[in-house]
């Protein structure tokens, strides 16, 4: 998996800081989401936890290692959600896995997902 060009320099900076023993030091890094590019001030370790392609936020890797049921809620207006074939389908089979689409954009998905989350949690009992 490659790093997006907009954040490549910041990922390299954060990696160098961690390698130099300064992972807990704060700095400014480029961030990228559905609203475009901006800067954040955080530690190199935290930054890499989101943007290192081999880090914990790599959904393809993370979902394939799950040992528990997975609820994946995606907003139909969220352009960061390419559908269940992206990462959800990489999760190990579990009869309690659920992929739910709600009518919302990226920021509205958590609120729109409320009922689906509560229903799924009820299934886990």
């Amino acid at each position: 998996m490659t790093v997006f060009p907009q954040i490549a320099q910041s990922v390299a900076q954060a990696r160098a800081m961690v390698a130099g023993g300064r992972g807990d030091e704060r700095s400014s890094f480029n961030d990228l989401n559905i609203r475009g590019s901006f800067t954040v001030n955080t530690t190199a370790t935290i930054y890499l936890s989101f943007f290192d392609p081999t880090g914990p936020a790599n959904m393809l890797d993370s979902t394939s290692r799950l040992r528990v049921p997975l609820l994946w809620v995606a907003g139909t207006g969220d352009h960061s959600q390419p559908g269940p074939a992206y990462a959800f389908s990489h999760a190990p089979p579990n009869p309690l896995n659920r992929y739910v689409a709600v009518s919302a954009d990226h920021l509205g998905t958590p609120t729109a997902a409320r009922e689906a989350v509560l229903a799924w949690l009820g299934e886990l009992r």
Side-chain angles (χ1 to χ4, degrees), residues 69-93:
L70 171 63
L71 171 64
W72 188 293
V73 182
T76 57
D78 181 353
H79 302 293
S80 74
Q81 295 294 313
Y86 168 62
F88 178 80
S89 66
H90 288 76

